[in-house]
Amino acid sequence: MAIVLLYFKNMHEDPGYTDLLDGPRWAPSVVARALDAYYWFAYAVAAALGAWEAGRLKKDQVWLLAPARSRYRVAAEALLPGVLVGWVMLLLPVVMALVEAETWPTLNALPLLGMGLFLVCAHNTIGFAVGQWVHRAISAPLLGAAVLYLVGWSASDGGRLWPRHISGQYTEGLLFGELVPLTSLWPHLLFAGSLAALGALAWVPLAARRARVALRGTACGAALAVMAACIAHVHSWGAVSPLSANNAPLDCTGSHPRVCVPKAVQADVVGLRRDVTGTVKALQDAGVAATMPDTVNDTLAAGRSSQGSTDREWWLPMSKAAHPETVRLSVVLKSIRFPCSRVDQVNSRSATLWAATVADADKRYLAWQRQELQQFQNPDDVMAVIKRRVSKARTLTPEGQAAWYKRELVKSCKNAGKDTRP
């Protein structure tokens, strides 16, 4: 019941989860979002139960009895309930989230869940090792609280970012089309896994004292080396570990340009390609030096990675466009090339409005600029000047309009930083 209540509190109070349900379905995103609130909880419970079970076996003097069964089997049977509890704490919210999102689980959604299930076993083993040496009344609550704090702290600490990449608490989430590569997962697995292996090897009974010391010393050295390697591997990472983007299945059509959007959005790819090609040809006919790209991709598939467009490959927000005019405006903005990096406020907007008018995207551009111009003290006056300049230009011949547009591009660079009053 506590897991269910925590699920509804964390998920339904999170605006990001609401956006996830409203957007295209991507099973890895759903799984990552569901697990985010449960990693630390499951690890802490598993560690505490492992320490408690170790103390119970020690109190009952099980290890002093005649070995009717293998001590490894006894330990495994004692640890199994704690492992199952931790697994349920991870599996239940994942199942609930997938059902609520009406999304089928996919193989590429399993790595984060697999990491969590493995680390539950690792923390359970660590707790069992600690419980062999420290009384269960002390080790179980303290170890559970320590895991709870350390794993949770790693995700919230803004000063040092590397702990979050080895703690097993994957908090970055996944956007549409993103996956977690193995290079981002193995530090989590090996850091706790090396500690669990050290605890297991330290528990191995050897008759010769020298052999025990050699085994434990070697295991300790190997665990420290692995942990140091994990820290060194992630130390230079930022807040987000390396991700793999553009993994969603695509629906593509045509050639030169080949237009691709994710299948999950169920967009009219043929219609989108028609808008792209029609806009480029309209701009070319009007005298704009617009080039037809080879491919046009939807920015949704790129996740959070910044895919820079080139002359041959464009990235446009096609599936997010609520109106065809938005796609045409994106093509206009991609086609206009100012001969400088810094432009003025009036001439540049006049040239863009004229191109948007040619492409039948002027209404969308004006609606956008009404918001952008609020930064000025006189936004209505600036907008009136821009519209008046473009209206006057539209009365010229097609050749005259093309020449006017080219002059506006030059003026936008020449007047950059100047007060361009009408």
Side-chain angles (χ1 to χ4, degrees), residues 332-333 336 338 347-357 365 405:
V332 169
L333 297 177
I336 295 178
F338 292 97
N347 296 106
S348 62
R349 285 181 166 86
S350 299
T352 306
L353 177 58
W354 175 84
T357 304
Y365 180 73
Y405 166 75

Side-chain angles (χ1 to χ4, degrees), residues 18-41:
T18 304
D19 295 339
L20 188 65
L21 294 179
D22 294 338
R25 300 297 187 259
W26 181 241
S29 298
V30 177
V31 172
R33 180 74 66 173
L35 289 173
D36 186 21
Y38 290 90
Y39 288 118
W40 53 275
F41 198 14

Side-chain angles (χ1 to χ4, degrees), residues 73-87:
R73 180 178 176 182
V74 172
E77 292 177 351
L79 292 176
L80 182 60
V83 170
L84 293 179
V85 170
W87 283 6

Side-chain angles (χ1 to χ4, degrees), residues 26-112:
W26 181 241
S29 298
V30 177
V31 172
R33 180 74 66 173
L35 289 173
D36 186 21
Y38 290 90
Y39 288 118
W40 53 275
F41 198 14
Y43 300 159
V45 170
L49 291 178
W52 187 264
E53 285 301 311
R56 181 183 64 81
L57 294 178
K58 184 178 180 181
K59 178 177 180 293
D60 295 340
Q61 298 183 344
V62 171
W63 310 124
L64 300 179
L65 301 176
R69 291 180 299 169
S70 167
R71 60 190 282 117
Y72 303 107
R73 180 178 176 182
V74 172
E77 292 177 351
L79 292 176
L80 182 60
V83 170
L84 293 179
V85 170
W87 283 6
V88 169
M89 294 177 67
L90 295 179
L91 289 169
L92 184 57
V94 168
V95 172
M96 294 174 64
L98 290 172
V99 171
E100 188 174 13
E102 299 179 355
T103 304
W104 284 100
T106 56
L107 289 177
N108 55 17
L110 298 181
L112 284 179

